[in-house]
Amino acid sequence: MTGIHHMLVHFPLGFWALATLMTLVGALLPGRLAELSRAALLPVLVLGLLGGLAAVVSGFLVWPLAAHTHSPLGRNHLLMSLWSLGIFTMLTVLVWRAGAAAFDGARRWVLVLLALIGGLFFAATGTIGGHLVGAPTAFSEVLGLMGWEVYTTFYSPLWVIAVMVLIGVGCAFLGVKGRRGNA
């Protein structure tokens, strides 16, 4: 069963990496390639979401929850996988609900921000998964430069919390401003 989880995780990783690239191309570049990226983004996000769900479910079938929660490395892997799934779920819903207008105006920057954060989180998930099976990657060093040691209990560095609060306040402001504009 462990091998199934290892095989399944490559689907969300591949689709989410492609979706991140397609979001950046669709938001930042003009021309036919950007149009194609925007048009094909939703199916890629849906496939990534389905792959992510399969990978998470298979992970829970392979390793008991107690194994995840009693190991800092397992806890980090579980948290990052769920955060990745959550962020790409938001991205999928936004693209689905907005349709052709998903890349209009300021919406494009929300998509870019979510895609970049989701990309960082699924990269961290894969790196930690590599550590769990004895195959660490150089990306662990990048995480260390950002203030996060993968072998310690999950935490958010103070600068990350500050950025999250600023993003939350900014999103609340934009939501209130948009609501008043529609009223």
Side-chain angles (χ1 to χ4, degrees):
M1 187 66 158
T2 305
I4 291 174
H5 177 72
H6 298 326
M7 288 186 294
L8 287 176
V9 297
H10 290 88
F11 289 99
L13 289 176
F15 283 123
W16 288 343
L18 179 59
T20 301
L21 180 63
M22 291 170 74
T23 301
L24 294 174
V25 168
L28 303 176
L29 297 178
R32 183 78 177 131
L33 184 60
E35 291 172 19
L36 289 171
S37 292
R38 289 189 292 264
L41 180 59
L42 184 59
V44 171
L45 285 168
V46 169
L47 290 171
L49 195 57
L50 293 173
L53 286 170
V56 167
V57 168
S58 70
F60 279 118
L61 293 175
V62 172
W63 297 283
L65 186 59
H68 282 298
T69 58
H70 286 84
S71 159
L73 199 58
R75 197 168 31 247
N76 288 336
H77 184 63
L78 177 63
L79 286 170
M80 285 293 102
S81 66
L82 294 175
W83 273 102
S84 298
L85 186 64
I87 287 175
F88 278 98
T89 299
M90 283 191 294
L91 192 58
T92 304
V93 169
L94 289 172
V95 170
W96 171 59
R97 296 282 295 166
F103 286 90
D104 292 348
R107 289 183 185 148
R108 80 178 51 220
W109 302 115
V110 172
L111 298 180
V112 166
L113 183 65
L114 284 174
L116 291 175
I117 292 170
L120 176 65
F121 283 4
F122 81 68
T125 303
T127 295
I128 295 167
H131 280 277
L132 285 169
V133 298
T137 67
F139 190 66
S140 302
E141 301 300 323
V142 174
L143 294 174
L145 291 173
M146 292 189 290
W148 186 34
E149 169 60 44
V150 296
Y151 289 107
T152 59
T153 301
F154 179 78
Y155 78 99
S156 294
L158 188 57
W159 71 268
V160 172
I161 294 171
V163 168
M164 289 170 42
V165 167
L166 290 173
I167 291 171
V169 169
C171 288
F173 173 76
L174 290 173
V176 169
K177 183 179 174 185
R179 187 175 203 128
R180 287 184 184 158
N182 292 335

